[in-house]
Amino acid sequence: MRVLVTGSAGFIGSHIVETLQERGHEVRPLDLRSGEDVRDAATVARCLIGADAVCHQAAKVGLGVDVSDLPAYASTNVLGTAVLLAGMAGAGVRRLVLASSMVVYGEGAYDCATHGRERPGPREEADLAAGRFEPRCPLCGAALTPGTVGEDAPVDPRNAYADSKLAQEHLAASWARATGGSVVALRYHNVYGPRMPRDTPYAGVAAIFRSSLERGEPPRVFEDGGQRRDFVHVRDVARANVLALESAEPPSGALRAYNIASGEPRTVGEMAAALAKVYGGPDPVVTGQYRLGDVRHVVASPDRARTELGFQAVIPFEDGMAEFAARS
């Protein structure tokens, strides 16, 4: 298969390229680092010649710093995807694997002892400032028990990055309906591993913690460190992309979403402690700080990806964190 990989030199894209090549596929790379912009229609058209499928990874990532980031997210993620899809329609390429994200869900799944499954709204700043980090039942105000999110859960993006990732899914679904193409949207959870961006406010929390430890400083953990996430290794994510490309196509004219996660959630505090242990300290410091765009718990069910794509994460958390701490 000849696969156009956008964002091919990036953190996740570079691992996908390697995995595709190991599996005997031909890769056509497209990356801004090489002077090729997915927002440029002529570049996209040239790169699509002879392609059988597209693996779209190019994106501006991270939650952003403030509203000044809105144009960049819209330009790179939304406009870039629109240009790519228009090019695919013109080139007759009908298969797309899209890098989406768990951020489209907003808060994860929660259960109230009285009212059952509930979706809390955004947390109030007054609660966060007072150290009340757990979402409460919107009906009775009682404490909620976190559950697992399936792909059919309602979407509820809560920051610019999340908005742009959901927009990518919506554009891809419209393209599929209009062209008879098929889309596999892989909703990545917290991806970490070698080549992860570092020393930038847009880097993932694992990279930020590692940079602190390399400077001999303790990782600074926001809130109380009890935020639950699913940390999945980048090589597992790359393998999920290849499985999606090699699997039977979903129904034409449709988008099918999959959680790409380990299925073994950890707290942010546990992740910081695991990295600090590899470095021999210093131990993490829990700061109580918060960001309004953050959500408390997002834990996924990976069952659909296992059943339909044959994907299951295989790199253990402890081994992955040890490798991540040792490699850039």
Side-chain angles (χ1 to χ4, degrees), residues 32-48:
L32 191 60
R33 295 169 180 82
S34 317
E36 294 181 318
D37 194 336
V38 74
R39 292 167 291 189
D40 181 74
T43 296
V44 168
R46 184 178 69 253
C47 293
L48 283 167

Side-chain angles (χ1 to χ4, degrees), residues 25-319:
H25 298 290
E26 181 182 350
V27 174
R28 172 58 174 91
L30 189 163
D31 196 278
L32 191 60
R33 295 169 180 82
S34 317
E36 294 181 318
D37 194 336
V38 74
R39 292 167 291 189
D40 181 74
T43 296
V44 168
R46 184 178 69 253
C47 293
L48 283 167
I49 295 173
D52 300 302
V54 174
C55 187
H56 184 31
Q57 306 295 314
K60 179 177 177 64
V61 299
L63 297 184
V65 175
D66 53 40
V67 293
S68 66
D69 286 317
L70 287 170
Y73 281 110
S75 177
T76 302
N77 298 358
V78 183
L79 176 60
T81 299
V83 171
L84 174 66
L85 293 168
M88 291 175 66
V93 180
R94 297 290 183 262
R95 188 160 194 181
L96 173 66
V97 173
L98 172 68
S100 187
S101 172
M102 55 87 173
V103 296
V104 301
Y105 297 121
E107 284 285 355
Y110 293 88
D111 293 303
C112 172
T114 302
H115 298 101
R117 181 57 52 97
E118 290 293 336
R119 289 186 62 82
R123 294 178 294 172
E124 298 291 337
E125 185 166 13
D127 284 338
L128 297 173
R132 295 187 294 267
F133 301 120
E134 295 292 341
R136 294 178 289 181
C137 176
L139 299 178
C140 66
L144 295 170
T145 302
T148 56
V149 180
E151 290 85 352
D152 295 326
V155 292
D156 186 19
R158 298 188 178 182
N159 54 64
Y161 174 59
D163 292 333
S164 71
K165 297 308 286 185
L166 185 57
Q168 287 183 310
E169 287 196 17
H170 285 166
L171 288 169
S174 295
W175 165 84
R177 287 192 295 270
T179 65
S182 64
V183 183
V184 172
L186 302 181
R187 291 175 176 169
Y188 302 158
H189 284 251
N190 288 68
V191 186
Y192 73 96
R195 305 173 207 158
M196 192 174 187
R198 58 199 300 162
D199 301 325
T200 162
Y202 304 98
V205 66
I208 293 171
F209 289 167
R210 182 180 65 179
S211 293
S212 295
L213 288 162
E214 287 174 343
R215 295 192 300 267
E217 301 170 0
R220 296 179 60 81
V221 180
F222 279 17
E223 301 188 15
D224 60 0
Q227 312 93 300
R228 296 171 77 237
R229 298 289 189 271
D230 189 307
F231 298 97
V232 58
H233 196 279
V234 66
R235 287 198 299 275
D236 280 327
V237 171
R239 188 165 48 83
N241 277 267
V242 176
L243 288 170
L245 286 163
E246 293 178 342
S247 67
E249 293 189 39
S252 61
L255 178 147
R256 186 72 165 162
Y258 296 91
N259 286 320
I260 302 303
S262 73
E264 298 181 359
R266 308 276 177 160
T267 68
V268 173
E270 287 173 335
M271 185 269 289
L275 284 176
K277 181 179 179 180
V278 175
Y279 276 92
D283 292 335
V285 173
V286 176
T287 68
Q289 292 175 279
Y290 58 87
R291 297 185 301 183
L292 284 177
D294 285 348
V295 297
R296 181 60 174 174
H297 305 296
V298 187
V299 176
S301 168
D303 292 347
R304 180 185 290 181
R306 181 173 59 250
T307 300
E308 298 184 12
L309 300 180
F311 169 76
Q312 187 167 358
V314 298
I315 299 176
F317 175 81
E318 292 78 9
D319 294 349

